[in-house]
């Protein structure tokens, strides 16, 4: 009895399902990657499903198999960017021996990431605020996480204990606003200058100007 060629045989149900899931996830990543510039350049509110279909080169039916809608597509993009940025910051800060050094290294990685990926940074820092309740919740959660980290620095540095009670929230809000303004400006920014301003805004009030200068010099010497 003749046998069917291997490529015509039915695949086991489990293998077929896994293959379909892998292909669908691959397609989701491709569409999200092409949606990020659309959201960043057009703005969340001005972006339409048709814009996303055209950018992702995907049909409407296929799009709704991958995402629940525009907001869901945005949230997937947000999480993708946030995860990539967090990984870079945590990796950069890992060698730090104390809170100040970890913060210094993490802030530098954050600035470098934002300058290297301006559209991604714009989506997270600007468009997330108008992309619905879920996106706004993620944005506020990011600010709250930074606030908790700064409070840890105050607890570890005596000189910072006399800072106003609202220092951390004001610093985090100020940093977010400052970075947003940088993203809105058409001119480019020098990484060293931008990082120097951010470090002075966030770290100097907690550890002091002299300690910040020593930290900068010591890390520059080991770079």
């Amino acid at each position: 009895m003749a046998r069917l060629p291997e490529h015509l045989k039915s695949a086991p149900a489990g293998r077929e399902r896994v293959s379909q899931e892998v292909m669908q996830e691959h397609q989701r990543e491709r569409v999200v990657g092409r949606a990020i510039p659309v959201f960043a350049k057009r703005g969340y509110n001005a972006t339409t499903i048709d814009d996303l279909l055209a950018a992702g080169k995907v049909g409407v039916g296929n799009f709704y198999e991958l995402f629940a809608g525009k907001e869901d597509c945005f949230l997937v993009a947000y999480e993708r960017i946030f995860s990539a940025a967090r990984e870079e910051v945590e990796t950069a800060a890992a060698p730090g021996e104390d809170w100040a050094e970890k913060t210094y290294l993490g802030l530098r990685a954050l600035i470098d990431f934002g300058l290297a990926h301006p559209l991604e940074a714009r989506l997270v820092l600007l468009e997330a605020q108008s992309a619905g309740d879920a996106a706004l919740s993620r944005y506020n959660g990011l600010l709250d996480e930074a606030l908790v980290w700064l409070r840890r620095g105050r607890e570890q540095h005596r000189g910072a204990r006399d800072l106003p009670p609202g220092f951390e929230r004001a610093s985090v809000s100020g940093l977010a606003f400052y970075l947003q303004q940088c993203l809105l400006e058409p001119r480019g920014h020098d990484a060293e200058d931008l990082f120097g301003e951010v470090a002075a805004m966030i770290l100097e009030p907690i550890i002091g100007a002299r300690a910040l200068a020593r930290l900068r010099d010591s890390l520059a010497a080991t770079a």
Side-chain angles (χ1 to χ4, degrees):
M1 181 176 176
R3 295 183 177 180
L4 285 173
E6 290 296 326
H7 69 280
L8 294 180
K9 292 181 180 179
S10 297
R15 185 184 303 171
E16 183 179 350
R17 182 170 57 253
V18 170
S19 177
Q20 185 176 2
E21 290 174 354
V22 170
M23 291 178 61
Q24 197 170 47
E25 183 60 28
H26 176 74
Q27 189 173 26
R28 189 199 311 273
E29 285 297 303
R30 178 180 62 80
V31 174
V32 165
R34 294 179 177 181
I36 288 172
V38 178
F39 282 127
K41 293 177 180 179
R42 294 184 62 85
Y44 177 81
N45 289 324
T47 297
T48 66
I49 292 293
D50 286 341
D51 293 329
L52 298 177
L53 298 180
K57 300 186 184 303
V58 63
V60 62
N62 202 356
F63 180 86
Y64 280 104
E65 288 180 359
L66 300 172
F67 310 100
K70 182 176 83 167
E71 182 179 359
D72 184 40
C73 182
F74 181 91
L75 292 174
V76 173
Y78 181 100
E79 293 298 337
R80 172 178 168 177
I81 298 166
F82 179 76
S83 296
R86 178 188 285 277
E87 182 177 356
E88 290 204 15
V89 168
E90 291 181 348
T91 299
E97 296 184 355
D98 59 18
W99 180 90
E101 190 170 334
K102 284 182 178 294
T103 304
Y104 186 98
L105 294 170
L107 281 173
R108 183 56 199 256
L110 181 64
I111 295 300
D112 289 343
F113 182 89
L115 292 179
H117 308 281
L119 296 180
E120 286 82 351
R122 186 183 181 96
L123 187 147
V124 170
L125 291 175
L126 285 170
E127 297 308 321
Q129 297 182 65
S130 59
D133 292 341
L136 182 59
S137 177
R138 285 165 169 77
Y139 173 79
N140 288 331
L142 175 61
L143 299 190
D144 289 342
E145 192 173 332
L147 187 150
V148 170
W149 179 260
L150 287 187
R151 283 177 179 163
R152 190 178 305 173
R154 179 204 287 261
E155 294 168 359
Q156 295 180 15
H157 292 80
R158 290 185 177 181
R161 294 174 185 173
D162 293 332
L163 289 170
F167 165 76
E168 290 85 1
R169 186 167 297 279
S171 294
V172 170
S173 298
L175 175 61
F177 179 78
Y178 178 66
L179 294 178
Q180 290 161 12
Q181 296 307 302
C182 290
L183 290 171
L184 290 171
E185 293 177 3
R187 68 179 181 87
H189 291 271
D190 179 77
E192 291 295 335
D193 292 342
L194 183 56
F195 173 65
E197 293 172 1
V198 169
M201 181 190 309
I202 299 298
L203 267 173
E204 187 174 316
I206 296 177
I207 67 174
R210 291 183 180 179
L212 177 57
R214 289 195 299 269
L215 180 59
R216 181 184 61 242
D217 293 342
S218 66
L219 290 176
T222 58

